[in-house]
Amino acid sequence: MNQTQKMVRLAFFLALSVLLHYIEDAFIQLPAVAPGVKLGLANAVGLIALYFYTDKEFWSIGFLRVVLVALLRMGFGSGFLISLGGWLLSSLMVSLFHRYSKVSIFGLSVISAFFHGMGQLTVVAFLYQSIYMVNYLPILSYFGMVSGYLLAMVTSEALKRLRIH
Amino acid sequence: MKNLSLQRNSSDITWISVLIVLMTALLVLNRFIFDSSGIRVVNIYIYGELVETVSLDEATTITLYQNEYYKPGSSTEFALLDDVVIEINDQQQVRVESEESPRHICSLQGWIGTTGMPIICLPNNLMVVIEEENG
């Protein structure tokens, strides 16, 4: 694969992740069992990037998505910091588990969702100087793990059918 | 860099189980830590500062007026996007009844009766939480 092809594909993946984030934000309303509960559709694109490329591309797509969503919709306030915290912790843990364990896309997707929620809550706890956030961690985690697993099912089926190498 | 496998394996089950066990332990632990037998009150925080304490024992409605709360270090920028109405019912539960925010997450969250389970409203920099009095 030449560099231009790779660049075009990565740009496409990035656009797709921003679009999925937007669709989820605008159209998918989940029961508000806890603040921040969401499906995390955009994380599927990160896993696809990790499948085709390496850690470097996985980190780049995730970071650029967080920045682009902030530029296009949220601004660079507390929402941006929370997204950044979620992305940072989940990407770190996904990279570590991908490198040092034998987990498949299913394990990685669950780990990604789990630590995304934990990273977000950590930032909120710092912003509000409140330990109470720890009460939401189990709820967010259970929900995140279920959605992470379902997302892995969809992503793995999509990857089996994609014809790009 | 190794390839990402698309097939479930035993390592997935092990790690997912570890996370589930950890979170269940945390859930149980939280019940013990935040369980309270004393007098409970509703504390309202803006930017992490306690601005109001209200008894949980009687049903009431509290309105936080936008023009009474400012961002720290500013005398012109409001902390709240609009007035916020907080309601306490006769079952010792609290909710954010109405607020202005893009997604209304905190008002959609509904009634909360558990000690230490905060209602967070990020766009309004607001946290409402049931705590033990003087705790």
Side-chain angles (χ1 to χ4, degrees), chain A residues 15-149:
Chain A
L16 190 63
S17 70
V18 173
L19 183 69
L20 285 174
H21 183 101
Y22 177 80
I23 288 172
E24 183 167 352
D25 222 26
F27 302 112
I28 303 176
Q29 182 84 53
L30 293 173
V33 287
V37 164
K38 56 192 291 191
L39 290 174
L41 295 178
N43 289 337
V45 181
L47 294 173
I48 293 174
L50 195 59
Y51 178 79
F52 286 114
Y53 304 104
T54 64
D55 263 359
K56 198 175 100 186
E57 287 79 11
F58 167 72
W59 279 79
S60 309
I61 296 258
F63 177 70
L64 289 172
R65 169 171 57 86
V66 173
V67 172
L68 273 177
V69 167
L71 272 173
L72 294 170
R73 270 175 74 78
M74 287 196 309
F76 289 91
S78 53
F80 169 70
L81 290 177
I82 292 165
S83 290
L84 202 63
W87 161 76
L88 194 62
L89 188 61
S90 76
S91 300
L92 188 67
M93 297 314 285
V94 164
S95 287
L96 286 175
F97 272 87
H98 184 42
R99 192 164 295 203
Y100 298 112
S101 80
K102 290 176 181 156
V103 292
S104 72
I105 193 168
F106 288 87
L108 275 190
S109 182
V110 168
I111 285 161
S112 172
F114 178 90
F115 285 102
H116 198 267
M118 188 184 271
Q120 288 186 316
L121 279 185
T122 306
V123 176
V124 176
F126 271 108
L127 288 176
Y128 281 85
Q129 298 289 298
S130 168
I131 189 68
Y132 292 128
M133 288 299 118
V134 77
N135 267 318
Y136 282 122
L137 189 56
I139 306 168
L140 263 183
S141 301
Y142 289 139
F143 195 91
M145 286 193 279
V146 172
S147 67
Y149 191 85

Side-chain angles (χ1 to χ4, degrees), chain B residues 76-120:
Chain B
T76 50
E77 283 186 277
F78 297 128
L80 306 174
L81 293 177
D82 202 347
D83 298 350
V84 175
V85 179
I86 294 162
E87 196 179 352
I88 296 167
N89 67 14
D90 53 11
Q91 292 163 45
Q92 298 210 317
Q93 292 172 318
V94 63
R95 70 166 173 173
V96 172
E97 200 270 331
S98 67
E99 40 72 35
E100 178 56 43
S101 65
R103 296 167 67 191
H104 301 288
I105 287 174
C106 63
S107 50
L108 286 171
Q109 205 176 334
W111 295 103
I112 295 284
T114 313
T115 310
M117 190 68 93
I119 303 172
I120 293 281

